[in-house]
Amino acid sequence: MNTFHYTLIGAGVVVAAAAVGTAIAAPYIHKLFKKSFGRSDPSPDHQDAFLEGLRKKGFERQVEIVKAGWAALDTAPHEKVYITSHDGHRLCAKLFAPENPRATVILVHGYHSKGEMDFGCVFDFYAKRNIAMLIVCQRAHGDSEGDYLTFGAKEQYDVRDWAKYLVERYGEHHSIIFDGVSMGCSTVLLASCLPDLPVQVKAVIGDCGYASAKDQIAQVLKEDMHLPVPIVLPVASLLCRIYGGAFLGDADVEKQLRHAKLPTLFAHGLADDFVRPANSERNYAACSSEYKRLCLFEGSPHGMSYLDHQEEYEKEIIALLRHAGILE
C-alpha cells in the first residue's frame, strides 16, 4: 500500500470512531437537549434566586431598582394579548399602554427567563415618555405555547409577527421599537433584518446578545460542561431541527446583520463572562445600518448594564429614539 491508501484507511478509522462515539453519546445528548431546549415556566422561586444572586455579587442597589420595577408592573393596568405564530403556536404578551401611545416597544426576554423579570427596571423610563410596552412571552416560555426554543432561529419570526399585530392594532402611522436582552437581544437583531419586517419598526436596542447561537452553545459545552463540541453540537442542532423546526445555524446574528438597515444600539457589560462582550463587538462590526452605536459598560456582568449605568444607558436610548424620529 502507498501513503495515500494508509491515509484513506486512517481517515476511515477516525470517521468510524466518531460515528461510534456519537451513537454511544446520543441518548445522553438527547436528554441534555430536552433539558436545555425544552420549555421554561419560571416560578416566583426563580425570581427570588435571581435577587439572591444579585445580593451575593454586592448589587443591593440594583436589587431595589428591580423590585421597584416589578412592583410597578404588578400594579399597572395591562391587557393580555395573543397571536398565532407562523407555525401554529399561540403566543402571549402583556400590553402596558397609555390611551394614545406615541410608540410601542416590543420587549423580548432572555433564555429561560420572563419579560417582567428582565424588563421591570425599564417600565418607568418608557412610561414617562408615553411609550407603550409589549412584554412578550417567548415560545416555549410561560403562557406561550411551544415545547422547544430555538435560540432565535424561529423566534425572530415571532417578533416580526408581534410587530404586525401592533400595526393592525394601532395603524400604519404607529412607530415600533425592538428591545431585547441576552437571547432576546439576538432574537430582535435577527428579526430587524427580515425582508418582510413592517416599515413601522424604527429602532432596535440589543443588550448582551450572542453573535452566533452555535458559537455560544459551543462555548458553554466546552467551558462549563466539558463536553466534546464536535460530537454534541451537530447532534443538538439536528435535534433542534427535528423538535424545534430550525437548525441552530439559522440563528447566525453576525451574518444577518450584514442586511441591517435600522438604527441600532448595541449594549454589553465588560464584566460579562457568559455572553462575552466580543459578541456585541462582532455584531456591531457586521451591522450595515447607517446609525449604529456600541456601548460597552465597565464592570457590568451579564444583563446588568442598565442597572449599573442607568443614566448613561438612557441617554443612549434617547439619542437612538430621537434619530429614529420617535422622540423630539
Side-chain angles (χ1 to χ4, degrees):
M1 287 189 191
N2 58 30
T3 303
F4 177 69
H5 289 117
Y6 283 116
T7 302
L8 285 178
I9 292 171
V13 169
V14 170
V15 170
V20 171
T22 302
I24 293 172
Y28 172 77
I29 298 173
H30 190 266
K31 183 177 180 180
L32 177 65
F33 169 84
K34 290 206 166 188
K35 179 179 180 180
S36 302
F37 288 66
R39 72 170 293 112
S40 172
D41 301 295
S43 65
D45 290 342
H46 187 71
Q47 293 186 197
D48 292 341
F50 172 70
L51 293 179
E52 185 58 30
L54 293 182
R55 291 191 181 96
K56 287 181 179 178
K57 294 177 181 177
F59 295 133
E60 197 60 47
R61 180 182 65 84
Q62 288 85 343
V63 167
E64 296 309 313
I65 295 172
V66 170
K67 289 172 66 176
W70 291 351
L73 286 177
D74 283 342
T75 57
H78 65 274
E79 176 187 356
K80 269 194 172 183
V81 295
Y82 301 88
I83 62 171
T84 300
S85 71
H86 59 287
D87 55 350
H89 295 307
R90 190 172 190 246
L91 305 178
C92 179
K94 290 182 179 179
L95 179 63
F96 297 80
E99 187 172 345
N100 294 299
R102 69 164 72 226
T104 300
V105 57
I106 299 177
L107 296 159
V108 186
H109 63 76
Y111 172 79
H112 281 185
S113 186
K114 62 181 182 179
E116 295 90 335
M117 192 162 75
D118 288 354
F119 293 106
C121 57
V122 300
F123 177 81
D124 190 55
F125 173 83
Y126 286 119
K128 283 181 177 177
R129 290 161 179 82
N130 199 38
I131 296 174
M133 297 172 58
L134 184 75
I135 301 180
V136 307
C137 200
Q138 293 226 58
R139 62 171 56 211
H141 289 76
D143 292 332
S144 286
E145 291 181 347
D147 294 322
Y148 296 96
L149 57 92
T150 64
F151 289 90
K154 295 292 286 286
E155 290 84 351
Q156 60 183 307
Y157 303 106
D158 300 338
V159 173
R160 174 203 61 190
D161 292 345
W162 280 117
K164 290 181 177 180
Y165 163 82
L166 290 174
V167 174
E168 291 179 5
R169 183 178 180 118
Y170 288 113
E172 61 181 17
H173 299 295
H174 189 72
S175 295
I176 298 169
I177 308 153
F178 288 168
D179 189 346
V181 62
S182 193
M183 186 181 80
C185 165
S186 297
T187 300
V188 300
L189 291 175
L190 288 165
S192 73
C193 301
L194 291 173
D196 58 345
L197 189 70
V199 297
Q200 289 79 9
V201 181
K202 303 296 185 183
V204 185
I205 303 163
D207 191 319
C208 66
Y210 41 79
S212 158
K214 289 181 73 174
D215 289 353
Q216 182 61 33
I217 293 171
Q219 174 195 307
V220 172
L221 289 172
K222 179 181 178 180
E223 298 181 3
D224 298 343
M225 307 181 78
H226 308 292
L227 294 173
V229 174
I231 293 176
V232 178
L233 187 59
V235 177
S237 185
L238 179 60
L239 291 172
C240 186
R241 177 66 181 86
I242 293 170
Y243 290 103
F247 289 108
L248 288 174
D250 296 332
D252 189 331
V253 184
E254 184 178 18
K255 179 180 178 180
Q256 287 301 105
L257 282 170
R258 297 169 190 163
H259 307 291
K261 296 179 180 178
L262 295 174
T264 304
L265 170 63
F266 300 88
H268 217 118
L270 285 171
D272 190 341
D273 58 1
F274 181 53
V275 180
R276 291 174 182 147
N279 284 273
S280 285
E281 293 174 337
R282 287 168 56 187
N283 287 338
Y284 173 79
C287 181
S288 60
S289 299
E290 181 180 340
Y291 181 100
K292 60 179 182 178
R293 288 278 293 163
L294 173 63
C295 299
L296 301 175
F297 295 98
E298 194 69 40
S300 295
H302 188 63
M304 294 290 292
S305 295
Y306 182 84
L307 294 171
D308 282 350
H309 302 269
Q310 186 172 346
E311 184 176 352
E312 183 182 353
Y313 203 130
E314 289 182 352
K315 285 180 180 178
E316 291 290 346
I317 298 176
I318 290 169
L320 174 77
L321 299 186
R322 282 176 175 164
H323 179 86
I326 295 172
L327 296 180
E328 298 176 356

